[in-house]
Amino acid sequence: MNNIAFLRVLRRCLPVLALMIILVPTFSIQPRTLSYFGLNLLLNLAIPLVFATLAQMFIIAVNDLDLSIGAFVSLAACITVRVIPESAVLGVCALLMAIVAYSLMGALIHIRNLPSIVVTLGMSFVWLGFSILILPRPGGNAPDWLQTAANYQPPIVPLPIIVAAAIGLIVHFGLMRSSYGTILRGTGGNARAIARAGWSILSAKMITYGLAGLFGVLSGLILAGITTSADANLADRYTLLSIAAVILGGGDFVGGRVSPTGAVLGAITMTLAGSFLSFVKVSTDWQIGAQGIILIIVLAGRVITIRGEK
Amino acid sequence: MTRVLTWLRDQPWIWSFLGALTVWLVIVLAHTQGGGATLTMTLNFSVFFVIVGIGQMLVITTGPGNIDLSIPATMALGGAIAMKVMNGMESGIPVGLLYALLTGVAIGVFNFGLIWLLRIPPIIATLSSNFIVLSVAISYGRGLRVKPPEAFSDFTVAHILGLPIMALVAILLAIGMAAVLARTIYGRSVTAIGQNTKAARLAGIKVNRTRLITYAISAALSALAGALLAGFSGGSALDLGAEYLMGSISVVVLGGTSVAGGKSNVPGIWGAAMFLYLLVAMLNTFGIGMGLRLVLTGICIVAVITIGGGEKNR
């Protein structure tokens, strides 16, 4: 019994361990990264992925999978750099409409009992198409206030760390500690039981997908603020990276078992893996492959804990 | 007559064929292109989606969560190896294809090793191995611009009575695979595992061996499709298989295979592959821009799956 409790704790700690595996060698090879500006540069691009990962995590919490989040984040970024500078009202309306569309996608999936993989796959073409219609060529210009906000430098602790910690805690308390958060996760665990208890699965799915849409839009806004311009394929990689980050953070594909804090750490680990590889001078040919190997090594750690629990 | 209609309505593949037929009729009625020529082109391009789709279908049928995301890199590596081994010489064609197939089998075994030995969820395992295989393809194919042997290129575009030879081969492959699924121990095992893995194991089915074979077949078919595509498009490229990641999943599911596993459908893959190609062709001939074309393609995919219905019981 004690043994199982220990393995549970170990499983919870895995995301932290994974981050350390990447972070410690990075610091020892490039001590300069262990400074205010170093950390800022290192972690800046992790923040949009953190938000995309949390969006993916909401979907995974209700047993679905979102293959469109990357295209959706790109769309939000395209709207941000193209529409908002011309008309803020129109831009905000477009972003709100995108969130509503996401929520309706959840409703459609639930009402017709459709496989989420296929619906989101189809919708990824729709988001990409709209991105190209809005921004046919790479370019645009993020509004000044957004660029200022994205580059804001608070005293002592770099902005990415503050944002990551804050959003991780907010989602943790919202999803893991609140009563409605339990209903949402219960939808992934046993939807029938939740329905029998008198809750509407339809509303739960619509809220989950709406939240995912909201976080996708936030991810796009921040990404546009950092990169200042956008293109229709800007965040393509986020789809697969976000899935990997959720699992790396201790989530399961079924049963509503997710961890918001783990997902945040997972997203940071995935981003750092890229810069870590360039620090240790892996040849560019093998950088993608090494990212795959890192993913395998870290996830292999789960073997011990999962086998133990069974 | 009504009995036939009822029977047809209950076939999961009917929707993808109806979709393909509708789009084809629109193209023919709009007089933008001859009906026969359109059909030939459709068959030619659908072949690759069908070959890759059959492998993906087997993997998806083995149960929820099983999916092969290593297809794009496997196609790229298969194409690169085939082209390099053939080295532009006709005598190298069989050896080149064999090497591509063996590479695919090796990748499939590696995939299942990750899933089985390290207990990594298949989505993440095949995603990681896609990264690794892509790196292998990059370093292997560095500066590689080998043209396919002429005979091989000719084969990929050759016709008999207006029908592409490759399409005939792919039709035979589909028929063969349907027979394997319905009649052999391996095929029945795949379906059984997809419906209830625990029950299948208790019934004495060798679950791990069946899954190993399935991942190996999927990767081998991807590598083969990569080699054929390299011959078809005049050489291999790293992004050879890029559109087949999402494409293979689309054709499998639009074709009536259940994402939850345990229910496969081979003819549906043909219908879905032709539907997707014709859809893009139709929007192209109407001179619709790329953005709007993608939006309409996406809406059509969602519409087909909505009308065709999802899982009836869960």
Side-chain angles (χ1 to χ4, degrees), chain A residues 112 118 121 285 289 299 303, chain B residues 118 124 135 142 246 253 306 311:
Chain A
R112 293 286 297 168
V118 190
L121 190 64
D285 286 5
L299 282 175
V303 183
Chain B
L118 298 182
I124 309 288
S135 267
R142 177 133 290 224
M246 298 305 186
V253 184
T306 306
E311 326 291 310

Side-chain angles (χ1 to χ4, degrees), chain A residues 65-299:
Chain A
L65 201 60
D66 186 354
L67 294 184
S68 73
I69 192 70
F72 186 74
V73 170
S74 310
L75 173 61
C78 287
I79 293 174
T80 308
V81 300
R82 186 72 183 82
V83 185
I84 288 185
E86 282 181 19
S87 157
V89 180
L90 196 65
V92 171
C93 282
L95 291 175
L96 287 177
M97 264 165 56
I99 297 175
V100 171
Y102 235 70
S103 181
L104 291 177
M105 185 167 86
L108 177 72
I109 288 171
H110 173 69
I111 293 170
R112 293 286 297 168
N113 203 3
L114 302 174
S116 59
I117 293 185
V118 190
V119 176
T120 52
L121 190 64
M123 290 309 287
S124 72
F125 290 108
V126 175
W127 309 139
L128 176 62
F130 277 121
S131 299
I132 292 175
L133 287 176
I134 292 171
L135 197 69
R137 275 173 302 281
N141 205 356
D144 291 335
W145 56 267
L146 191 63
Q147 293 191 31
T148 316
N151 293 314
Y152 175 66
Q153 295 186 342
I156 306 167
V157 185
L159 185 64
I161 296 180
I162 296 177
V163 175
I167 199 66
L169 285 177
I170 291 172
V171 178
H172 178 79
F173 281 102
L175 191 66
M176 311 304 279
R177 293 293 170 85
S178 77
S179 52
Y180 198 71
T182 312
I183 302 300
L184 291 186
R185 285 183 293 127
T187 309
N190 190 336
R192 195 167 288 171
I194 297 290
R196 288 271 159 81
W199 296 93
S200 161
I201 302 292
L202 178 63
S203 334
K205 285 249 174 170
M206 286 183 74
I207 288 173
T208 309
Y209 275 82
L211 279 171
L214 173 66
F215 276 72
V217 164
L218 290 175
S219 172
L221 275 170
I222 300 170
L223 186 58
I226 295 172
T227 58
T228 70
S229 66
D231 73 272
N233 297 308
L234 185 64
D236 265 0
R237 287 154 32 92
Y238 281 16
T239 301
L240 296 178
L241 282 181
S242 67
I243 299 174
V246 171
I247 303 305
L248 200 62
D252 277 340
F253 282 116
V254 287
R257 291 221 287 183
V258 292
S259 158
T261 43
V264 170
L265 293 176
I268 295 175
T269 310
M270 290 305 294
T271 315
L272 288 183
S275 34
F276 167 69
L277 291 169
S278 50
F279 284 140
V280 295
K281 300 201 173 67
V282 173
S283 92
T284 47
D285 286 5
W286 289 96
Q287 284 208 357
I288 309 173
Q291 214 153 359
I293 293 171
I294 288 178
L295 203 54
I296 290 171
I297 292 174
V298 171
L299 282 175

